[in-house]
Amino acid sequence: LRIDKVMGLQRASIRELSCGDGHILALDISGDVYSWGKGSHGQLGHAQRTSLRTPRIIPNFKLYPVQNIACGDNFSACLTCEGEVFMFGEGSSGQIGNDSLSDALAPTFVRTLGSDVVTKLSASSETMGVLTRENQIYAWGKFIDQDSRSPMHPQAVKLPLLITPEDLDSYIKITTFAIAEDFIVLCTN
């Protein structure tokens, strides 16, 4: 384990960090997002496949302040203060949520969430999930089907899929959650 001082964030008041497999996002108190590290799939959000040694602000979010960030292995997600989700980076398992298996080099709006306002993000290696104000969880990316009789085969889900448990009583509020390729953990009131 190595601890390094990060140069380039001296004037930023960082309130949240998220790490992928070689890249990092930092969210400051004003809603600006910084990225650095490995960028081979566009996971840094600068419309290119290059890596950065020092943090650089992602200019797209100057107009859309961010409230929450999440990183998968080679992709990134930002939740704006308006409840909109933007994704960028590797899309080989559908983790960008735009009905494609292609990489997104710049922040891409996830349109298929409709009018649901997102309140929380969660990412794992190749899977993405969101919690909405309406107490719904949507997910996309790589999933492992444990219910089938065949051996577990990963599936690429390219668009947000509603996965909120059907037996969740209407009076129970999901407060936070975490997602993985083969399970989800919920905290409720």
Side-chain angles (χ1 to χ4, degrees):
L1 181 63
R2 189 179 87 207
I3 298 175
D4 292 329
K5 183 175 182 178
V6 176
M7 302 305 290
L9 292 175
Q10 294 86 345
R11 294 193 174 128
S13 297
I14 301 302
R15 68 180 181 104
E16 188 176 345
L17 293 167
S18 187
C19 298
D21 183 20
H23 77 288
I24 303 162
L25 292 185
L27 174 62
D28 74 10
I29 60 171
S30 66
D32 289 330
V33 180
Y34 298 80
S35 64
W36 70 101
K38 185 173 73 172
S40 56
H41 293 278
Q43 63 266 45
L44 300 182
H46 296 287
Q48 55 193 11
R49 294 180 186 273
T50 57
S51 299
L52 296 172
R53 290 184 172 271
T54 57
R56 183 183 302 165
I57 197 164
I58 302 175
N60 300 60
F61 298 114
K62 280 294 195 186
L63 298 175
Y64 307 99
V66 170
Q67 65 172 319
N68 187 213
I69 54 176
C71 292
D73 280 354
N74 295 305
F75 71 94
S76 302
C78 294
L79 172 61
T80 70
C81 293
E82 300 295 319
E84 298 173 325
V85 178
F86 288 83
M87 306 288 304
F88 42 101
E90 184 178 14
S92 64
S93 294
Q95 59 269 54
I96 300 302
N98 64 351
D99 200 21
S100 171
L101 298 177
S102 300
D103 294 354
L105 303 182
T108 302
F109 177 59
V110 180
R111 296 188 193 297
T112 53
L113 290 170
S115 62
D116 285 351
V117 175
V118 175
T119 58
K120 180 84 172 130
L121 303 173
S122 180
S124 63
S125 60
E126 296 179 49
T127 308
M128 185 65 208
V130 299
L131 173 63
T132 71
R133 187 183 312 160
E134 293 79 18
N135 208 38
Q136 302 293 314
I137 295 177
Y138 291 87
W140 58 94
K142 182 178 179 181
F143 288 92
I144 298 175
D145 183 7
Q146 293 185 339
D147 294 330
S148 71
R149 295 181 183 263
S150 61
M152 290 192 255
H153 294 295
Q155 300 175 5
V157 177
K158 301 183 293 184
L159 290 169
L161 175 69
L162 181 64
I163 62 167
T164 306
E166 292 176 13
D167 60 349
L168 190 68
D169 291 323
S170 61
Y171 63 87
I172 295 176
K173 177 74 173 156
I174 301 169
T175 55
T176 193
F177 77 108
I179 196 164
E181 294 171 359
D182 57 348
F183 67 92
I184 186 168
V185 178
L186 305 175
C187 289
T188 61
N189 59 354

